[in-house]
Structure formats: structure tokens, C-alpha cells
Amino acid sequence: MSNDTPGEPPAIDVTGLEVGGVRVGKAKLQGLGRLGELLLPERSAKGKFASAIAARIERGDALSEFEEEASRAILGIETKRYANFVNVAERGAKLLPEVQESLKRLPEYTGGPSTSSEWANKFRRISEDVENSVLVDLYARVLAGEVTRPGSYSIRTLTVLESLSADELKLFQRAQSVVIAGDCIDPNQEVLSHSEVLLLMECGLLVSDTKSNASISSLCEDRYLSTIRYGDRALVLSRDEKAPKVSFNALFLSIPGSELSMIPQMAPNEEYLREFARGRAVHNKVVVQWCLCSDLDDDGRPKPDAQIHEFDPPLIKKSE
């Protein structure tokens, strides 16, 4: 039997408790707007069980040994899981300004479907089991991204996210450093091994078709000019009327992979960018320069005052 005085039910509400240094409370969700309200916990079957036990104690009814043990176990586990979720939510609120700034480099957001309660419930459930700091950071960035651009992350992406281990996430972060034109990876890159590429496919982050041929997704529609995003830079490809449209064999990110890569966590790979540009210059017979994405106009073309840079040293030797 509990030592609580009859008539004074035990504090079974997790709001306000502190677990592992994390204080649980609604204040942690401030700054997340409507999504924060959706993320507030629903009354689960376990919560209803705990409430029923509390009511019995309040009436002065005796609890069996099993009921006492079950109550302690449920409270301990559920409080810890809720504390994990709050840790993610608090981290997301802190990262919100950084994520909002990062998303400015993407094409203008024209609005999407509002975040559904099903999405919020799914996110809360999967975040309750996350303790690894690497995973906490990604979950928090997804949350901040969804706050900034509602509807950016599908429930399918949350399912893929739930299955990722910390090591698989670190591998995907490395893969992000070689993503070009939004969702393409040059199969000739040397950052990822063949086995690592296969693992990313198994994780649902890469499309399993390894023989796809991609026409580069240009930021602008121009017959002889293409601009291709890579991080905060844009490659500027110029070709004459005899040169074919630039294309190359590519590995493609899956939809979950594309959504999770919207907020990069790795710095651009300068060596990869240069080798990719060199490949286009040699094989596609185009002139390749670069500028900052901020120097592009709304149509994806370099602005009149844009600073266009040459690669140094030159991509092609005079003997080639």
C-alpha cells in the first residue's frame, strides 16, 4: 500500500517533474506555435490507468502489490519518455532561428498543407524514445523545419527517421555533403563507398535504381545557361548551341532523403564540388564558373552585378 495519506492522491501527472535534469512542462513548447499545441500529450491508455489508480487512492481503497508495482513502472517509464520528447521540443525551439535562416537558401516557400494532428502524434511518439544527442539534434531540426514550413515533412519521412540509428544518421550526414542540384549524387564521387551507398538505399534514403540518368535540374530556364545549386553556391554552366543538354548518371535521394536533407548538417565538400565541375567541363564540353546563390535573381540567373568566379586552378588543362 502506498504511504500517501488517504485523500491526498500521489502526483502522477508528469507535468512539472524533473527527470535526468530535464524539467517537464508546457513551457518547453513555447515558441513552436500551433505545432507546439498539437504536440501536447494525449491521454493514453496508460494515462487513464494511472488516473484510475489515483482515484482509488483518493477514496482510500487499498491497492494490490501488483497495482503498486505497475503504477511505479508506468510512471517511471512514461515520465522518462515524456522527458525525452520535451528535450527534443526544447532543442527544436532553440534551433528555430538557425533553421529559419538555413531554409532561406531554398526556393521560395509558397505554402503547403498545415501540420496535421496525425503528424504531431507520430512525431511525439517517435521522439519519446530518442536519447542519443546526434538523433536528438536531427529530430529537433525536423521539428523546427516543420514549424517554419508546415507540411515539409511527410509521415513516411517520420517512419524512415524512426528507423535510423545514430551511425546511419552520421553516414547520411556525410552523404549530404555530396548532394548536388537538390537531390542528386554523382556515382563517381569518392566520399561514400559502395557498401555505404547500399546501406543508405536499405535505410530508405536513396532510391535503389543505380542506373538513372539525370538531366541537371537547373535553377533557371535558359537554352545556353544553367545554374545548379550546391549548398550556398551555384555552378554557372555556359554552353554553345552545338553542345548537348548537360546530363549525367546519378544516384537520387528518396523523398524522405530529400526532405531530411533540406536542413544540411555538413559543410560543403570543396573537393567534391571541384571534381563535379571538372567532370561537367570535360565530358559535357561546357564552361563552368560559380557564384553565390544570393547573387541569383528570382529566375535563377546571375544578377547583373553578380560576382562570377573562375575555378583556381583552372578545371581543364590546356593539354586536355
Side-chain angles (χ1 to χ4, degrees):
M1 175 68 185
S2 169
N3 292 327
D4 292 292
T5 304
E8 296 181 6
I12 64 168
D13 186 355
V14 297
T15 302
L17 293 182
E18 186 168 320
V19 180
V22 178
R23 186 166 181 78
V24 180
K26 295 182 180 179
K28 297 293 184 183
L29 301 180
Q30 290 181 351
L32 298 180
R34 175 180 175 275
L35 184 51
E37 294 297 321
L38 287 175
L39 288 168
L40 290 174
E42 60 190 6
R43 277 175 56 84
S44 64
K46 293 177 182 177
K48 294 176 182 178
F49 169 79
S51 296
I53 292 295
R56 290 186 58 187
I57 294 174
E58 186 174 6
R59 293 194 301 268
D61 296 342
L63 299 181
S64 68
E65 182 178 351
F66 171 78
E67 288 173 328
E68 286 194 0
E69 291 179 355
S71 299
R72 293 192 187 97
I74 289 174
L75 288 174
I77 294 172
E78 291 304 301
T79 301
K80 178 58 178 175
R81 296 184 75 230
Y82 187 45
N84 288 340
F85 154 68
V86 169
N87 190 30
V88 170
E90 182 181 34
R91 179 67 176 155
K94 288 182 178 179
L95 288 173
L96 191 56
E98 176 187 331
V99 168
Q100 290 173 333
E101 183 63 29
S102 177
L103 289 174
K104 289 180 180 179
R105 66 180 177 79
L106 297 180
E108 183 180 358
Y109 177 66
T110 57
S114 60
T115 303
S116 66
S117 58
E118 290 80 10
W119 191 98
N121 290 337
K122 172 76 172 180
F123 182 85
R124 184 178 64 250
R125 285 195 299 271
I126 66 175
S127 63
E128 286 176 342
D129 294 322
V130 175
E131 297 184 28
N132 181 279
S133 60
V134 175
L135 293 173
V136 167
D137 194 73
L138 177 60
Y139 277 60
R141 289 176 185 276
V142 168
L143 178 59
E146 184 67 17
V147 170
T148 304
R149 294 188 170 201
S152 293
Y153 298 93
S154 65
I155 291 181
R156 178 180 299 178
T157 293
L158 294 186
T159 300
V160 170
L161 178 62
E162 180 183 15
S163 69
L164 292 180
S165 68
D167 288 340
E168 290 165 345
L169 173 56
K170 290 177 181 177
L171 172 60
F172 182 58
Q173 289 173 341
R174 279 203 292 119
Q176 288 182 49
S177 71
V178 292
V179 172
I180 198 145
D183 61 356
C184 297
I185 295 179
D186 185 345
N188 296 318
Q189 55 75 34
E190 298 181 352
V191 174
L192 304 172
S193 67
H194 179 65
S195 61
E196 288 174 331
V197 168
L198 293 178
L199 177 56
L200 290 173
M201 291 178 179
E202 185 177 340
C203 291
L205 297 167
L206 283 178
V207 176
S208 58
D209 182 3
T210 60
K211 298 180 181 180
S212 299
N213 186 274
S215 291
I216 293 183
S217 177
S218 175
L219 296 177
C220 69
E221 295 296 331
D222 192 292
R223 187 174 180 182
Y224 302 121
L225 177 72
S226 299
T227 51
I228 304 158
R229 177 168 51 85
Y230 177 74
D232 62 352
R233 298 187 187 184
L235 294 179
V236 182
L237 286 68
S238 305
R239 62 190 179 93
D240 60 35
E241 59 183 8
K242 295 180 180 180
K245 188 174 182 179
V246 178
S247 64
F248 63 101
N249 288 329
L251 301 170
F252 287 93
L253 295 179
S254 64
I255 292 177
S258 295
E259 292 180 355
L260 291 175
S261 68
M262 284 193 298
I263 306 173
Q265 295 177 274
M266 293 291 287
N269 186 316
E270 298 291 339
E271 182 178 353
Y272 169 70
L273 177 62
R274 178 178 175 80
E275 286 304 309
F276 179 85
R278 173 177 161 74
R280 306 290 69 76
V282 172
H283 301 296
N284 297 111
K285 308 301 181 183
V286 294
V287 176
V288 185
Q289 301 164 301
W290 68 272
C291 68
L292 295 176
C293 287
S294 57
D295 281 338
L296 300 178
D297 62 22
D298 292 340
D299 294 324
R301 295 180 177 83
K303 298 175 182 176
D305 59 347
Q307 296 186 23
I308 307 297
H309 303 272
E310 303 287 344
F311 281 88
D312 185 23
L315 296 175
I316 302 179
K317 299 177 182 179
K318 292 183 178 180
S319 59
E320 293 181 291

